[in-house]
Amino acid sequence: MNKAFILAALCAVIAVVCVSFAIPADHLSHVAGLMPHGVGTSMAMMCAPVLNHRARGLVAIRNDGGSGATAILNELKQTFEAFKTENDKAIADLKKGLGDVVQTEKVDRINAEITKLQAAIDETNVMLAALKVGGTAGNTDPTNGEHAKAFNRYFRKGDVGNLGELQVKAALTTQSDPDGGYLVPTETEKTIDRIMGTTSIMRQLATILPIGTNEYKKLVNMGGAGSGWVGEEEGRPQTGTPTLRELIFTIMELYANPATTRNMLDDGIIDIGAWLADEVNITFAEQEGAAFVTGNGVKRPRGILAYPTVANANYAWGSLGFVVTGAAADFVAPSTSVSPADALLDLLYSLKQGYRNNASFLMTDTTQGKVRKFKDAQGDYIWAPPTATEKVPTIFGKPVYTDDNMNDVGANTFPVAVADFKRGYLILDRQGVRVLRDEYTNKPYVHFYTTKRVGGGVSNFEAIKLLKCST
């Protein structure tokens, strides 16, 4: 068989694998080195477009100033109008007893396209935010600058020098602990935090509190001190003593272990802070995101779905109140007397007004696709597309965010949360990100074992309400 044909076929297969599994560039180079002469080069050339996807996206956004996001938004709005037209037709046909499977599938395809367009806008916004992240401008403290230079030498060459003493002088810690790694410079830590803030939904919504201890205690006033009205010359009797509840948040450890080649470090062409932040942010954000929603509090933060729940009519502090969809495993079917949108409206108004003013919805893409079909009592769709590229869709005028860690619709699940998350959920960041350099375990790669200590939990049980699939 012709060798050229075999080579072409092999490269084609490898290209498909690259696209399907997004093989990292350093792994691809390693595999290419094991291939026969010529094959590795062809493989790298064919996979290069895939490997540079993120870089091309950032460059394109930088060049067009975000106009691409505007084009996507306009397409999203047009697609939603088409969705409403086709969905109205499907509903009208059902009422006439002329339900058409083809029409239903058409509506679902348009609905899925809206979800993809919204995801594209979200990804573009993340990239725009990432372009603003990084750099060390404004760091004028000479001690911090000296520490940053020492850390750079350690990162690239493994030269410890007086790094431990410098991080104490820079007020990053009160003690030197080389066995646990070294604290990254302040600007690098800020870069990591900012990138995580662009990719983690709960970090965008909740309150974030940097602390310097392993535990945080918060006292909550359950009823307030007694008070009353009195005349100018009347006595002031003793008032009741307020009841306080203590909430305790424990800090847990999160880690990532990115690797790079010694050559890349020696060449000195990369921004250490930006590279490290980009490498660890996906791992940190994914692990955190899951914990903030479903974490059980054991070795990780406690998520909003891990607390006791109670019907909102019987609400008591320490549990999260819920309202029901009205159907055992889904939303109720629309009819002349009920609408599936009623459950979401009830959910929103289960919050007290003080929390409702700043409320937002949280659900998966799948659930949002269902909700997109719902109408209110006036026949208007309750879901609306974003009004600008930096905005998110709304339900009843309140922002709706996507988090695939939330439950999907199903029997006794909680697929939707509505909350003033700033008041309802607290994320604690233990100051200091540590890095331990390891150039021996996986030669020729140099690993950077990176740890960050994080805690989280509900800080106000009144500020979060859940929707339960139940009658």
Side-chain angles (χ1 to χ4, degrees), residues 80-102:
F80 183 58
E81 291 302 316
F83 167 80
K84 291 193 292 184
T85 300
E86 297 299 334
N87 193 51
D88 288 345
K89 184 178 184 303
I91 294 172
D93 289 345
L94 283 173
K95 290 181 178 179
K96 296 175 183 178
L98 302 174
D100 183 2
V101 174
V102 175

Side-chain angles (χ1 to χ4, degrees), residues 327-372:
D330 206 334
F331 290 91
V332 296
S335 68
T336 56
S337 58
V338 298
S339 167
D342 294 343
L344 291 166
L345 191 61
D346 291 342
L347 176 65
L348 178 60
Y349 279 88
S350 67
L351 286 171
K352 292 181 178 179
Q353 182 178 355
Y355 305 118
R356 196 165 62 243
N357 291 339
N358 297 309
S360 54
F361 288 93
L362 192 66
M363 63 188 75
T364 66
D365 268 333
T366 304
T367 303
Q368 193 170 163
K370 282 179 171 287
V371 173
R372 202 173 284 130

Side-chain angles (χ1 to χ4, degrees), residues 9 37 139 189 267-268 284 322 369:
H37 179 70
N139 183 10
E189 182 181 354
D267 290 343
F284 281 0
F322 68 81

Side-chain angles (χ1 to χ4, degrees), residues 68-77 114-128 386 388-392:
T70 302
I72 297 173
L73 176 61
N74 292 335
E75 184 178 351
L76 171 59
K77 291 179 178 179
I114 293 173
T115 299
K116 291 179 182 178
L117 289 168
Q118 181 59 49
I121 291 177
D122 293 341
E123 182 179 359
T124 302
N125 286 333
V126 168
M127 287 185 175
L128 284 168
T389 55
E390 70 277 7
K391 301 293 185 179
V392 297

Side-chain angles (χ1 to χ4, degrees), residues 193-354:
D193 288 342
R194 286 198 298 268
I195 288 187
M196 287 177 63
T198 66
T199 55
S200 173
I201 292 299
M202 285 299 289
R203 275 192 176 270
Q204 294 179 36
L205 301 178
T207 292
I208 300 175
L209 179 65
I211 63 172
T213 62
N214 294 326
E215 187 177 79
Y216 175 74
K217 296 180 179 180
K218 178 181 179 180
L219 291 177
V220 180
N221 189 340
M222 298 304 299
S227 60
W229 297 96
V230 294
E232 181 179 357
E233 298 181 358
E234 291 180 342
R236 272 64 173 172
Q238 180 176 340
T239 59
T241 302
T243 302
L244 300 177
R245 293 281 185 88
E246 184 179 59
L247 296 176
I248 300 177
F249 300 85
T250 305
I251 305 302
M252 310 297 182
E253 188 166 281
L254 184 64
Y255 81 92
N257 196 23
T260 187
T261 62
R262 185 185 299 275
N263 286 343
M264 182 174 288
L265 294 173
D266 290 342
D267 290 343
I269 60 175
I270 61 171
D271 181 331
I272 293 300
W275 177 85
L276 184 64
D278 191 55
E279 288 294 312
V280 305
N281 93 84
I282 294 177
T283 299
F284 281 0
E286 287 179 348
Q287 294 292 328
E288 277 190 350
F292 295 152
V293 175
T294 62
N296 59 12
V298 179
K299 299 181 182 178
R300 68 200 67 200
R302 192 172 183 182
I304 58 175
L305 298 184
Y307 285 86
T309 58
V310 62
N312 200 57
N314 303 317
Y315 168 77
W317 182 268
S319 300
L320 295 182
F322 68 81
V323 300
V324 297
T325 59
D330 206 334
F331 290 91
V332 296
S335 68
T336 56
S337 58
V338 298
S339 167
D342 294 343
L344 291 166
L345 191 61
D346 291 342
L347 176 65
L348 178 60
Y349 279 88
S350 67
L351 286 171
K352 292 181 178 179
Q353 182 178 355

Side-chain angles (χ1 to χ4, degrees), residues 386-453:
T387 56
T389 55
E390 70 277 7
K391 301 293 185 179
V392 297
T394 58
I395 295 176
F396 295 123
K398 300 298 182 182
V400 53
Y401 293 89
T402 298
D403 192 324
D404 286 333
N405 295 297
M406 289 291 291
N407 292 166
D408 282 325
V409 172
N412 295 314
T413 62
F414 297 91
V416 181
V418 67
D420 180 344
F421 287 99
K422 287 290 183 187
R423 298 176 66 180
Y425 197 86
L426 180 63
I427 295 173
L428 300 165
D429 280 336
R430 176 73 158 84
Q431 291 178 319
V433 175
R434 287 185 177 274
V435 173
L436 185 62
R437 190 179 193 273
D438 176 11
E439 58 183 310
Y440 305 107
T441 301
N442 189 24
K443 297 177 182 177
Y445 298 100
V446 181
H447 285 262
F448 295 92
Y449 179 73
T450 309
T451 58
K452 178 179 176 64
R453 307 194 71 185

